[in-house]
Amino acid sequence: MKNLLDTIVWSRFGFEIVATETQSPRALELMKEINPDLAFIDIRMPQISGLELIKKCNELQLDTLFIVVSGFAEFSYVQKCMNLGAIGYCLKPIEEEEIIPLLKKAKERLDERSAKDVPSMLEWIVEDKQEGSERVMKLLTNAGIDAASGLRVVVGLDVNDSNLLRPYRHMRLSASGGKSVYIAMEEEDQPESLYGHLANSSATFRGIGISGLFHHVAELKGAIEDAEMAAFQYFITGHPTVLQVGESKGFSDFKQLPAALQNRNLSELMSLFEQYEQSFRAGAYQIKHAFFLHNTVLTTIIHSQNNDSEKLARYLLVDYERLIERYQDISELIQDLNRMSGAYLGGMYHQGHFRSESFVAVIEYVNNHYQENLSLQMLADEFFMNRNYISQLFIKHVSQSFTDYLAELRVRHACELLRNSNLPVHRVGERAGYPDAYYFSKIFKKIVGKTPREYRVSK
């Protein structure tokens, strides 16, 4: 096995090593869990032979391609391997010139499969249809995961450990754009809870969110959204955080805010914002409260405006991702709300005196680089401007926030690709600037009203 690992520079051919295993029972469990694109199988393995292992994977309807490795050049072995669907047969010791053609063949097969635009599990979940639920149930069953035993969704942001959830039985749904999504079974015979296992992990990460316990596939979509929300808790704490969704405070603490704005009580507003920031830092609130706080301030200002209320409405947030794109942390959010409230009470919400020539260069840059990982801070660094000033320029000149403008720009490009190319949906998302297929489908549906697949079919 070491000879095989060291012989090839795998990234040159579009592959990465996700796991190795010498014991066939454990190898079968890994195959169920990871469902890799390609696997090298030795014919001679203890307990379960390599051929039997391929047969079991085929029975589970895994999508994996197989290359068989053996020390025996017997035609009967080759024939049996080919009959089971293996794409190649290599003799030990493995030589680079022998394995490279098989890797290229595997890559071509995988690219052909992608070109057929077969929906990923996450796309099935986003589309929320009966067919998708049945497919998800089948894949969970194949992986030995029993929904009736209780499941949780785990979302990790920038996790560096591919073995994060072992020894828990789990299945990875997605791993792109720095976000990893898993379904895990809460097993009573484990020495610690899933939360305890993750909280005590030595892995490095930005944030990990764990959904509440659920028992039906119909609850999966909501569990993913809950776990995503929890993964963003680092925005509140200011450091890597593991959060499991549970009972949390409601929004009653914020009911004084609209009244203070309407009564134009600046001193009370300043005091409230200070209290909120302290409570956030103390762990009393989650990112959903930050989301609610932001939109409460903006909604109150919008309702009081006779002019430009439509422009201001575009500044409202629509999801948690937009919140962390717009602000670096909870302190910056509250500082901005404080500023907006003060400007509103002073009768000068729109600052004026924007230099439109400054905005021309910014908007041209965004229009030419929208496929990249843009942010307000990157623009601020590029043009030597304050990020909040750039944010106000977008509201002033295009009547949209930066994040909304960028999202619509990307989705327009995605629509063109969906109409005029046969690229798989996840590739369309990547070319439009969304490496995370699930997030791409979610944003696309919010803006267009259909999932990318539904949009393609309708055109």
Side-chain angles (χ1 to χ4, degrees), residues 339-340 342-344 347-354 388-389 392 396:
R339 178 194 59 78
M340 285 192 286
Y344 160 67
M348 53 179 189
Y349 181 82
H350 299 293
Q351 300 291 317
H353 309 297
F354 291 104
N388 288 330
Y389 177 66
Q392 289 295 327
K396 173 73 175 180

Side-chain angles (χ1 to χ4, degrees), residues 163-274:
N163 299 322
L164 180 70
L165 289 179
R166 292 180 191 166
Y168 284 85
R169 194 169 303 180
H170 67 281
M171 183 168 61
R172 186 173 65 178
L173 300 184
S174 172
S176 60
K179 182 190 297 180
S180 301
V181 183
Y182 306 86
I183 300 176
M185 193 162 77
E186 185 79 81
E187 301 177 61
E188 293 182 357
D189 58 349
Q190 293 294 344
E192 58 184 348
S193 67
L194 184 59
Y195 171 81
H197 171 74
L198 293 171
N200 295 322
S201 169
S202 60
T204 60
F205 52 86
R206 191 153 46 107
I208 294 177
I210 310 169
S211 76
L213 199 65
F214 63 100
H215 299 83
H216 304 285
V217 171
E219 300 173 86
L220 182 55
K221 185 177 179 181
I224 291 174
E225 292 174 355
D226 286 346
E228 279 188 318
M229 178 272 292
F232 292 129
Q233 189 67 8
Y234 74 89
F235 178 85
I236 305 300
T237 63
H239 55 77
T241 303
V242 178
L243 178 66
Q244 180 169 298
V245 174
E247 293 296 323
S248 64
K249 297 185 70 171
F251 303 103
S252 59
D253 291 349
F254 305 105
K255 64 183 180 182
Q256 297 168 273
L257 192 57
L261 275 166
Q262 291 163 0
N263 294 333
R264 311 184 74 80
N265 191 331
L266 185 59
S267 62
E268 184 181 0
L269 278 171
M270 301 305 103
S271 175
L272 286 172
F273 283 129
E274 184 178 350

Side-chain angles (χ1 to χ4, degrees), residues 382-400:
E382 179 74 21
F383 292 97
F384 304 101
M385 295 181 184
N386 180 276
R387 52 183 279 135
N388 288 330
Y389 177 66
I390 294 177
S391 176
Q392 289 295 327
L393 286 176
F394 272 90
I395 298 294
K396 173 73 175 180
H397 293 293
V398 297
S399 302
Q400 285 182 290

Side-chain angles (χ1 to χ4, degrees), residues 23-251:
Q23 300 299 314
S24 48
R26 176 58 186 152
L28 180 59
E29 291 302 311
L30 279 173
M31 296 293 289
K32 292 179 185 179
E33 175 187 312
I34 299 173
N35 193 13
D37 291 326
L38 176 66
F40 286 81
I41 302 291
D42 197 323
I43 283 184
R44 292 289 181 91
M45 297 180 72
Q47 295 182 267
I48 305 173
S49 73
L51 294 178
E52 187 64 24
L53 185 59
I54 296 175
K55 186 177 178 181
K56 288 182 178 293
C57 289
N58 288 341
E59 290 170 354
L60 292 170
Q61 298 183 12
L62 301 182
D63 297 326
T64 305
L65 301 177
F66 295 97
I67 295 175
V68 176
V69 177
S70 176
F72 302 94
E74 293 187 19
F75 177 74
S76 61
Y77 279 144
V78 177
Q79 188 176 37
K80 287 177 182 177
C81 293
M82 297 304 138
N83 287 341
L84 287 171
I87 66 170
Y89 188 99
C90 293
L91 290 175
K92 299 177 184 177
I94 296 170
E95 301 293 338
E96 185 175 7
E97 59 269 20
E98 182 182 8
I99 200 70
I100 286 176
L102 291 175
L103 287 177
K104 290 180 177 178
K105 181 179 179 180
K107 188 65 168 61
E108 288 173 3
R109 289 271 189 95
L110 292 168
D111 288 344
E112 287 172 6
R113 183 189 295 171
S114 294
K116 292 178 181 177
D117 206 13
V118 178
S120 68
M121 184 188 284
L122 279 174
E123 288 178 283
W124 284 119
I125 294 167
V126 170
E127 292 186 3
D128 203 18
K129 294 180 180 177
Q130 180 64 29
E131 181 185 5
S133 295
E134 292 172 357
R135 180 176 174 83
V136 171
M137 275 296 297
K138 187 172 185 179
L139 289 171
L140 288 173
T141 301
N142 288 346
I145 297 174
D146 181 12
S149 298
L151 306 178
R152 295 187 191 273
V153 170
V154 176
V155 173
L157 303 176
D158 296 334
V159 178
N160 75 335
D161 186 356
S162 60
N163 299 322
L164 180 70
L165 289 179
R166 292 180 191 166
Y168 284 85
R169 194 169 303 180
H170 67 281
M171 183 168 61
R172 186 173 65 178
L173 300 184
S174 172
S176 60
K179 182 190 297 180
S180 301
V181 183
Y182 306 86
I183 300 176
M185 193 162 77
E186 185 79 81
E187 301 177 61
E188 293 182 357
D189 58 349
Q190 293 294 344
E192 58 184 348
S193 67
L194 184 59
Y195 171 81
H197 171 74
L198 293 171
N200 295 322
S201 169
S202 60
T204 60
F205 52 86
R206 191 153 46 107
I208 294 177
I210 310 169
S211 76
L213 199 65
F214 63 100
H215 299 83
H216 304 285
V217 171
E219 300 173 86
L220 182 55
K221 185 177 179 181
I224 291 174
E225 292 174 355
D226 286 346
E228 279 188 318
M229 178 272 292
F232 292 129
Q233 189 67 8
Y234 74 89
F235 178 85
I236 305 300
T237 63
H239 55 77
T241 303
V242 178
L243 178 66
Q244 180 169 298
V245 174
E247 293 296 323
S248 64
K249 297 185 70 171
F251 303 103

